[in-house]
Amino acid sequence: MKLNRILLSAALIVVALVVQVSVLARLQLPGAVPDLVLLTVVGLALVYGPVSGSLIGFTAGLLSDLAPPADHAAGRYALVLCVIGYLVGLAKPDNGRLTSATGPMAVVVAAAVGSTLLYAGVGALVGDTAARHVGLGFLLFTAAVYDLLLAPFTVPLIMALARRAENDPLADTGGGNGVDVASGWLSSGTGLRIGAQRGGLRVKAARSRASRAGRIKGVKRL
């Protein structure tokens, strides 16, 4: 991995883990807990691809295993996020663009459900039956809902930062037939780009008025 990828990924994972342990884990929501670490891995894997995604996922999972108040064997969540990071990285489009936010949202739901199933499966192998007492179906549902609600406010930002760190031209240009994954999510998922779109329409209107004025002056001179 490149140095800028390592530094950015490490910083984002540490921040996500601190917020996860100190804030999200204390909300006492029914069922699962919103997984900011998982969403960080998803956002980075969608930009960096499967190999980097698996390495980032393993590192993030291992730090989560070691962070207090961890009550499971070290390496369990590292294995889960390593697999999730690789699979999510396979969903990265070849040109780095998607036409809407539907694809990334589906990836988030699949990652939330898949990570919960993998975590419960690995737990069953080592004798951890906590998921049975809570109810696996309820855990899957709440994990998907919580992560889907949190994703529009985190994943686009993470993807944008990753592109900036890569000096990716897709982070600065909006040409082509598609829309950048992060900006497409913001525009169709949260509406945060509405102001920018209105500004673009105003600029186009001003240019059209200037061109019409120029044509009228040319006609008068003739």
Side-chain angles (χ1 to χ4, degrees):
M1 292 178 63
K2 298 179 181 179
L3 180 60
N4 54 354
R5 288 189 181 186
I6 296 174
L7 294 177
L8 178 64
S9 301
L12 292 176
I13 289 171
V14 170
V15 172
L17 186 58
V18 170
V19 175
Q20 181 78 35
V21 173
S22 61
V23 178
L24 298 179
R26 300 175 183 270
L27 294 179
Q28 297 181 349
L29 296 173
V33 176
D35 199 338
L36 184 58
V37 176
L38 172 66
L39 295 178
T40 302
V41 173
V42 168
L44 293 174
L46 283 174
V47 176
Y48 294 150
V51 177
S52 296
S54 62
L55 294 175
I56 293 171
F58 177 81
T59 304
L62 186 60
L63 291 177
S64 299
D65 289 331
L66 299 177
D71 57 353
H72 55 269
R76 180 175 169 184
Y77 202 46
L79 174 62
V80 171
L81 287 189
C82 180
V83 175
I84 294 298
Y86 181 82
L87 294 178
V88 170
L90 294 177
K92 174 190 174 184
D94 294 334
N95 59 357
R97 296 179 182 276
L98 292 175
T99 57
S100 71
T102 304
M105 291 172 68
V107 169
V108 168
V109 173
V113 173
S115 62
T116 305
L117 286 174
L118 285 174
Y119 188 82
V122 175
L125 293 177
V126 298
D128 184 0
T129 59
R132 297 180 182 177
H133 300 293
V134 179
L136 183 58
F138 185 60
L139 280 177
L140 292 174
F141 175 75
T142 53
V145 171
Y146 295 155
D147 289 348
L148 190 59
L149 291 176
L150 185 60
F153 305 100
T154 55
V155 176
L157 176 61
I158 292 169
M159 295 176 67
L161 291 174
R163 290 203 185 284
R164 294 286 183 179
E166 288 282 286
N167 294 321
D168 192 336
L170 294 180
D172 300 317
T173 59
N177 295 325
V179 180
D180 178 38
V181 176
S183 61
W185 191 321
L186 289 174
S187 60
S188 61
T190 62
L192 295 179
R193 288 179 60 90
I194 293 177
Q197 292 173 352
R198 289 177 178 174
L201 292 176
R202 291 174 182 173
V203 172
K204 291 181 179 178
R207 290 178 178 175
S208 63
R209 287 195 298 268
S211 62
R212 286 199 299 269
R215 288 196 297 270
I216 293 172
K217 290 180 180 179
V219 172
K220 289 182 177 180
R221 289 176 181 176
L222 292 175

